[in-house]
Amino acid sequence: MAPSRRDCRCDMIFLSGCLLLSVLGFHPALAKVCNDYTRHGLDNNWYTRDGEKLPIMVLMPMNESALMSSISQGIEPAVQLAIQHIRESRQYSFSLITKIYDTECDNAKGLRAFFDAICYGPKHLMIFGGVCPSVTSIIAESLEGWNLVQLSFAATTPVLADRKKYPNFFRTVPSDNAVNPAVVKFLNYYNWSRVGTLTQDVQRFSEVRNDLTNELEKADIQIADTESFSNDPCVNVKKLKDNDVRIIIGQFDENLASKVFCCAYNLNMYGSKYQWIIPGWYQGNWWEQANSTNCTTKKLLTAMEGYISVDFEPLSAKQIKGISGRGQVMFRNGERMGTIKFTQFQEGQEVKVGEYNAIADVLDLINNTIRFQGVEPPKDRTFVRLQRRQINVPLYSILSTITILGMLMAGAFLFFNIKNRNHRLIKMSSPYMNNLIILGGLLSYASIFLFGLDGSFVSDKEFETLCTVRTWILIVGYTTAFGAMFAKTWRVHAIFKNVKMKKKIIKDQKLFIIVGGMLLIDLCILICWQIVDPLKRTVEEYSLEADPQGRDIAIRPFLEHCENTHMTIWLGIVYAYKGLLMLFGCFLAWETRNVSIPALNDSKYIGMSVYNVGIMCIIGAAVSFLTRDQPNVQFCIVALVIIFCSTITLCLVFVPKFVTMQTNPDAATQNRRLKLTQNQKKEDSKTSTSVTSVNQANTSRLDGLQSDNHRLRMRITETLSRMRTPLFNFTDGKDGEKSLKNHLEQKPQAQWGSMDPSRISRGQLDDINSPEHIQRRLSLQLPILHHAYLPSIGGVDASCSSPTSSPASSPRHRHMPPSYRVMVSGL
């Protein structure tokens, strides 16, 4: 034993003698002790003689095979040194003698040694010793009956602190519970408010744990988990890890300490994130002597690095001296009030880092001696930092820029539509409906800005408002745009597919009513949704993630959603309604696919738009659902789908009109014959109807031309019937040409020469109906009639160069029904 350690033990024995004298009142003659009533009776006069030797019973395990015998063997020289110090002090007229009895740290053998000393030994003044807790507690409980006092230098079991049960027991070392206030003070110093305990399942350690639990509760320190084990601690160590216990207070002997740290190594419960606090009374190099695990010494040292041990300090480091001139020692309720030392295991050895003064309740840590394996002390728990999964700002900026470009494009289309609203091409395509399509596109574009906003930009309450606003804007924008397109297509379908409506005007006001009805359905759904089950802000938390910067914290991502109780039902209603609307649009586009009026019929473009929008919506909805926990991907998909659908719709509606007006502004308004074929109806498949327009004015014009044609035919027939000799017969186009040509060749003089003087005296009627006058009028009027009227009813094309050309040579004339041909037989 080192000299300092031996001196320490000697001082303890010396002070034990002082304690004994204080118990006896410093007057041995007044002591009333009866070791053996049968032999000694109550006569104590023998204590008063000067120079008398007072026997002391020493109970210790002396056999080398006995547990804790090494303590006893080291304490015997110290006892003799303490007695020598008392003798040399010359303050007392008596002397102390010791008689050692071997307890072998066994309950039965210890009791026998005690009774042998009582029965066969001298009258003992007191009992000194008590190393093994079980033997000491049994003997100490019977001391009051024998009128003896026991002083222990090594029994630290907390149960001996019970003054009612052990009134005659004293000890010069603090109990195991004495370290608990020091541990609590140490925990408070580093602001550790959450700990776990790992206790060996024996009475000694269980009592310490129970007292520690009370101390921790008083200090408002949370005990996250309490684990106890008998042999294999690995299961319990893993439970501590699962419960996120970072500060672990252990109560176990050195034999099981090696198993504990082996489990800690295998579970990676060491290093900068964990702090172990264990007893400090283990023997030196205990990890080598008590290693019964499959872990190597290197692994154990790795797991042990940095642990804090707590133990009683025999001598105080302060220079305050007592009446003996040595180190100050105090007792309270039979318990030694001493100093608790803290040591840390650093690079294979224990280094003192501080001490706790139980008398003053002060913790004093030596500067710069504690070395934690991290840049800072370990945390008492895994501090979780909530991190919002938000939209990446560069991504939001890029998509916002694209959205702004789309809105500028929509604004350009709006300007183009308003500026050219009186142009026949734009006017026939319903410019007001076009404005609604643009408005719907702008609303859809605007919803993208709202979909990119989350809690990092707005408050929680504002986020709930955004949930509602962006849903309303997107739904209303979709219905406005496609509702206007489908309303236009319905008008074309109503005119060209319903014979009864060909002479009826369908004004834009009626189309507005149709679009308004669609929007009214949307509003009913949205209002019911908002009243019955409004959208609210919900937070979805995900599993913990390691800090990317390597700090001792965990990241728990969370994501904000707009949800309600019956989200699936409401989305199903909205999707069903929008799906039916798109199917209706597809039906109208298919029905009007053969109407070849570019200014009116957008069926081909509507079909393309519905196809692209439908495919993109289905893909976008599926991908958006699958990427629900990835806000950047989800926002990107949703934004691109909205941008694509809005852009493709606006471009398909307005780009063809813009190109047509730039390249051939009159192509769409030429007065030509337009065909409509109905393959679905048998009677319509045999008839081709020629129209010049779809409005009432053009229909009236066609009826007027047909009436004029009929009237002219009647007048020509009536005039020719009064003629005496038929001049021409245009029953058939080719025969008429031939007759006219032969007549002109055979009688040129009659046609173009001077007239007979005998005919000049005839009446006015005969003169007017003379062949010369008829020939002259016919040569002037027939080309005018032929070129001016027949094209209007589908006859000879106005582009024919010769007035005598056969009408049958015109392609369009060949396809005219026989009822529209003109017969001229004479004038």
Side-chain angles (χ1 to χ4, degrees):
M1 182 179 293
S4 59
R5 190 77 172 180
R6 182 173 181 178
D7 293 341
C8 170
R9 296 294 175 87
C10 292
D11 291 335
M12 290 170 58
I13 301 300
F14 176 77
L15 293 172
S16 300
C18 296
L19 175 61
L20 174 62
L21 295 179
S22 65
V23 172
L24 299 177
F26 293 97
H27 299 284
L30 299 179
K32 193 174 183 179
V33 180
C34 181
N35 292 351
D36 188 351
Y37 291 102
T38 62
R39 295 180 55 186
H40 302 289
L42 298 175
D43 187 9
N44 294 325
N45 293 329
W46 60 279
Y47 284 115
T48 61
R49 294 191 295 269
D50 293 337
E52 185 71 28
K53 296 181 179 180
L54 301 180
I56 297 176
M57 183 191 305
V58 180
L59 297 176
M60 293 187 300
M62 300 303 295
N63 192 336
E64 294 183 358
S65 62
L67 184 65
M68 303 179 72
S69 61
S70 59
I71 298 178
S72 301
Q73 294 173 0
I75 214 66
E76 184 178 2
V79 171
Q80 299 301 327
L81 182 61
I83 293 175
Q84 180 181 351
H85 286 171
I86 294 175
R87 185 183 306 114
E88 293 175 353
S89 66
R90 300 182 184 275
Q91 297 181 7
Y92 310 101
S93 59
F94 56 86
S95 62
L96 301 176
I97 60 173
T98 60
K99 178 64 175 179
I100 300 177
Y101 296 90
D102 187 7
T103 63
E104 300 185 29
C105 207
D106 182 83
N107 292 347
K109 294 180 180 180
L111 283 174
R112 180 174 181 178
F114 173 69
F115 285 114
D116 287 344
I118 292 294
C119 295
Y120 306 109
K123 293 182 179 180
H124 297 94
L125 177 66
M126 60 173 291
I127 300 175
F128 181 76
V131 178
C132 301
S134 59
V135 177
T136 304
S137 60
I138 294 175
I139 297 175
E141 191 173 1
S142 63
L143 291 177
E144 187 176 9
W146 297 101
N147 199 19
L148 287 173
V149 175
Q150 181 177 5
L151 183 66
S152 174
F153 59 87
T156 60
T157 177
V159 70
L160 294 173
D162 188 354
R163 303 309 301 167
K164 294 182 179 180
K165 192 174 183 179
Y166 309 101
N168 290 10
F169 178 81
F170 299 88
R171 50 188 167 187
T172 61
V173 292
S175 70
D176 293 334
N177 289 345
V179 301
N180 291 336
V183 171
V184 172
K185 202 74 173 181
F186 187 78
L187 296 175
N188 288 330
Y189 182 86
Y190 288 104
N191 296 321
W192 290 331
S193 59
R194 185 175 183 270
V195 299
T197 61
L198 181 64
T199 309
Q200 184 178 348
D201 195 10
V202 294
Q203 182 181 3
R204 175 185 180 185
F205 299 116
S206 299
E207 291 173 352
V208 176
R209 180 195 60 194
N210 295 337
D211 183 75
L212 177 63
T213 301
N214 295 330
E215 294 291 338
L216 293 174
E217 291 178 353
K218 292 178 183 178
D220 196 23
I221 297 178
Q222 178 190 359
I223 303 177
D225 190 14
T226 299
E227 296 292 331
S228 61
F229 64 96
S230 297
N231 187 28
D232 186 8
C234 290
V235 176
N236 305 94
V237 173
K238 187 177 186 305
K239 288 183 179 179
L240 291 173
K241 181 178 182 180
D242 295 339
N243 291 326
D244 191 35
V245 176
R246 311 285 290 277
I247 311 300
I248 306 170
I249 303 174
Q251 293 290 340
F252 36 77
D253 57 34
E254 59 264 36
N255 295 320
L256 290 178
S258 58
K259 294 184 177 180
V260 170
F261 283 105
C262 182
C263 297
Y265 180 85
N266 295 329
L267 294 172
N268 199 29
M269 292 181 65
Y270 62 92
S272 61
K273 294 183 179 181
Y274 293 91
Q275 183 61 61
W276 289 83
I277 302 175
I278 63 174
W281 43 260
Y282 298 164
Q283 297 181 5
N285 296 332
W286 59 266
W287 56 89
E288 295 179 354
Q289 301 175 11
N291 186 7
S292 60
T293 66
N294 55 0
C295 291
T296 62
T297 302
K298 183 178 180 180
K299 292 181 179 180
L300 287 179
L301 292 176
T302 302
M304 291 162 52
E305 183 68 25
Y307 76 70
I308 299 293
S309 62
V310 186
D311 191 17
F312 168 68
E313 181 73 277
L315 292 178
S316 175
K318 295 184 179 181
Q319 300 300 322
I320 301 176
K321 296 182 180 180
I323 60 175
S324 64
R326 303 183 185 276
Q328 187 182 43
V329 178
M330 294 185 64
F331 295 87
R332 180 180 300 168
N333 296 327
E335 295 285 330
R336 164 78 182 274
M337 301 295 293
T339 302
I340 306 300
K341 68 174 180 180
F342 290 88
T343 58
Q344 186 181 34
F345 189 78
Q346 299 177 2
E347 297 179 355
Q349 60 182 353
E350 291 188 346
V351 178
K352 183 178 179 180
V353 295
E355 63 180 23
Y356 168 75
N357 190 335
I359 300 174
D361 190 26
V362 175
L363 176 65
D364 185 17
L365 296 179
I366 304 175
N367 294 332
N368 301 323
T369 53
I370 295 183
R371 295 188 304 182
F372 296 106
Q373 299 187 51
V375 295
E376 58 183 358
K379 306 296 182 182
D380 61 357
R381 70 198 73 190
T382 300
F383 282 93
V384 178
R385 176 175 296 177
L386 294 177
Q387 187 177 74
R388 178 183 287 105
R389 287 186 175 178
Q390 59 187 21
I391 306 300
N392 188 272
V393 176
L395 176 63
Y396 182 78
S397 302
I398 294 173
L399 293 176
S400 298
T401 303
I402 298 175
T403 302
I404 292 173
L405 293 177
M407 298 181 75
L408 292 176
M409 180 195 69
F413 287 151
L414 180 63
F415 175 78
F416 168 78
N417 189 70
I418 295 176
K419 181 180 179 181
N420 300 284
R421 63 184 181 276
N422 293 323
H423 193 281
R424 294 196 64 183
L425 177 64
I426 305 300
K427 192 172 184 180
M428 294 179 67
S429 66
S430 301
Y432 295 111
M433 292 294 103
N434 294 341
N435 291 341
L436 286 182
I437 296 174
I438 297 173
L439 177 61
L442 289 173
L443 291 176
S444 300
Y445 281 129
S447 66
I448 297 176
F449 299 107
L450 303 182
F451 276 105
L453 297 178
D454 51 28
S456 59
F457 298 97
V458 297
S459 63
D460 295 346
K461 186 175 181 180
E462 291 172 344
F463 184 81
E464 287 192 356
T465 304
L466 282 178
C467 291
T468 303
V469 172
R470 69 190 188 186
T471 303
W472 283 52
I473 289 179
L474 183 60
I475 292 178
V476 171
Y478 174 90
T479 303
T480 302
F482 282 90
M485 291 177 60
F486 297 156
K488 289 174 54 178
T489 309
W490 172 82
R491 178 163 64 180
V492 176
H493 176 270
I495 292 175
F496 287 93
K497 291 297 181 180
N498 193 343
V499 179
K500 297 181 180 179
M501 296 187 63
K502 286 185 178 181
K503 296 183 180 181
K504 185 177 180 180
I505 299 177
I506 301 178
K507 298 183 178 181
D508 288 346
Q509 287 80 353
K510 190 168 185 179
L511 302 185
F512 278 115
I513 294 175
I514 295 174
V515 177
M518 297 178 183
L519 290 175
L520 183 61
I521 297 175
D522 274 339
L523 291 178
C524 291
I525 296 175
L526 292 173
I527 291 174
C528 292
W529 190 350
Q530 183 65 24
I531 294 176
V532 176
D533 192 13
L535 289 172
K536 295 182 180 180
R537 174 184 176 269
T538 60
V539 177
E540 181 181 4
E541 295 185 353
Y542 298 91
S543 58
L544 294 176
E545 299 177 356
D547 180 53
Q549 300 179 4
R551 295 171 297 179
D552 187 18
I553 60 175
I555 304 298
R556 185 178 295 279
F558 73 95
L559 187 60
E560 296 168 308
H561 297 291
C562 294
E563 293 181 344
N564 52 12
T565 306
H566 305 288
M567 190 70 174
T568 305
I569 297 177
W570 293 108
L571 289 179
I573 294 174
V574 173
Y575 289 158
Y577 171 55
K578 301 304 178 185
L580 291 176
L581 188 63
M582 294 189 70
L583 289 177
F584 179 67
C586 292
F587 169 76
L588 294 177
W590 176 262
E591 286 290 304
T592 59
R593 66 189 185 280
N594 292 321
V595 177
S596 57
I597 307 178
L600 285 177
N601 187 24
D602 294 329
S603 61
K604 182 174 72 172
Y605 302 124
I606 290 177
M608 294 172 61
S609 178
V610 169
Y611 174 78
N612 287 282
V613 170
I615 295 297
M616 289 301 297
C617 288
I618 293 174
I619 296 176
V623 175
S624 176
F625 178 78
L626 294 176
T627 59
R628 189 172 181 269
D629 58 342
Q630 303 178 35
N632 286 315
V633 178
Q634 187 182 46
F635 172 67
C636 184
I637 294 297
V638 171
L640 290 178
V641 167
I642 295 176
I643 291 173
F644 177 82
C645 294
S646 301
T647 303
I648 198 69
T649 299
L650 294 175
C651 290
L652 287 174
V653 171
F654 291 99
V655 170
K657 295 178 176 56
F658 179 79
V659 173
T660 301
M661 288 191 63
Q662 295 297 321
T663 57
N664 189 10
D666 298 328
T669 57
Q670 290 179 354
N671 186 17
R672 59 182 181 177
R673 182 171 57 91
L674 303 172
K675 298 180 181 179
L676 173 64
T677 305
Q678 291 184 332
N679 297 325
Q680 295 83 359
K681 298 182 181 180
K682 182 177 180 180
E683 61 275 14
D684 291 339
S685 61
K686 300 178 181 179
T687 306
S688 299
T689 305
S690 299
V691 295
T692 59
S693 182
V694 295
N695 53 32
Q696 187 178 14
N698 291 339
T699 304
S700 301
R701 183 169 177 266
L702 177 61
D703 294 340
L705 290 175
Q706 291 177 347
S707 300
D708 292 342
N709 180 58
H710 180 71
R711 186 175 66 256
L712 289 173
R713 287 169 56 196
M714 295 300 294
R715 289 182 58 185
I716 292 174
T717 302
E718 182 181 358
T719 302
L720 292 179
S721 64
R722 294 196 298 242
M723 296 176 59
R724 289 174 297 179
T725 303
L727 183 62
F728 301 108
N729 187 353
F730 283 124
T731 302
D732 184 75
K734 293 183 179 180
D735 295 340
E737 287 184 8
K738 187 175 182 180
S739 300
L740 178 61
K741 183 177 181 181
N742 294 336
H743 182 76
L744 292 176
E745 291 177 353
Q746 292 176 3
K747 298 180 179 181
Q749 294 180 355
Q751 295 175 6
W752 306 104
S754 59
M755 292 186 292
D756 189 356
S758 62
R759 295 179 180 265
I760 298 176
S761 60
R762 293 183 180 179
Q764 185 177 359
L765 182 60
D766 295 336
D767 185 68
I768 291 175
N769 294 327
S770 63
E772 292 81 3
H773 284 82
I774 291 174
Q775 173 63 29
R776 183 174 299 175
R777 289 198 302 271
L778 185 61
S779 64
L780 295 176
Q781 295 177 358
L782 185 60
I784 296 174
L785 178 66
H786 183 74
H787 288 273
Y789 292 98
L790 292 183
S792 300
I793 58 174
V796 180
D797 196 338
S799 61
C800 295
S801 59
S802 174
T804 59
S805 298
S806 173
S809 63
S810 173
R812 285 183 288 183
H813 183 73
R814 287 196 299 268
H815 293 285
M816 282 299 299
S819 59
Y820 289 107
R821 293 182 180 176
V822 179
M823 298 177 61
V824 180
S825 58
L827 295 177

